[in-house]
Amino acid sequence: MTEQAARRPATQVTAVLRSAGLRVTPQRQLVVEVLQGAGARHLTAEDVYREVSERYPGFNRSTVYRVLDLLTSSGVVSQHRLGGSVAHFELTGAGVHHHLICVDCQHVFDLDGAELRELGRRVQRRTGFAVGQVAVTIEGRCAACRSGASG
Ligand SMILES: [Zn+2]
Ligand SMILES: [Zn+2]
């Protein structure tokens, strides 16, 4: 089950920023690095702020929010509102994929787009509806929560 979460390849942080037409600043680099380091995990702005300030204690919270806004509007980062009102952020390079949301710990995991491709084909066969992009959100309990960390 955990192996189904997609792992995105590491990308050069500066190249990511430059290809979006952005100037490379230490703040932007750091935020992209944190999102890359999160792997298939999706972070809220607060998660990003927490990780950034662990490395650089002087880092301003409003700077993190401003950088996330900029990265989102320039397409480097995708913002999802999944299973609640809190926005989650991930690097856009991940491609088409689905989301698994843990109802206990609220973590969001990516699921490879290929997992549900057959579903799109089946819907098309049965309904004649030409299926375009399939983006699915699945709620449940993650492996860590199921292993009884809560007791
Ligand atoms: Zn969980
Ligand atoms: Zn995702």
Side-chain angles (χ1 to χ4, degrees), residues 31 34-35 43-53 64 68:
V31 169
V34 164
L35 288 170
L43 303 179
T44 64
E46 277 304 302
D47 292 333
V48 175
Y49 169 66
R50 214 176 306 127
E51 296 208 17
V52 162
S53 58
V64 171
L68 280 172

Side-chain angles (χ1 to χ4, degrees), residues 102 104-107 109 141-142 144-145:
C102 178
D104 284 356
C105 67
Q106 307 299 319
H107 270 133
F109 306 88
R141 297 180 75 219
C142 74
C145 288

Side-chain angles (χ1 to χ4, degrees), residues 22 38 44 136:
L22 295 173
T44 64
V136 173

Side-chain angles (χ1 to χ4, degrees), residues 8 40 42 80 82 90 94 97-99 108-110:
R8 67 179 61 89
H42 293 53
H80 303 287
L82 301 161
E90 69 180 332
H97 60 273
H98 313 291
H99 292 108
V108 179
F109 306 88
D110 282 345

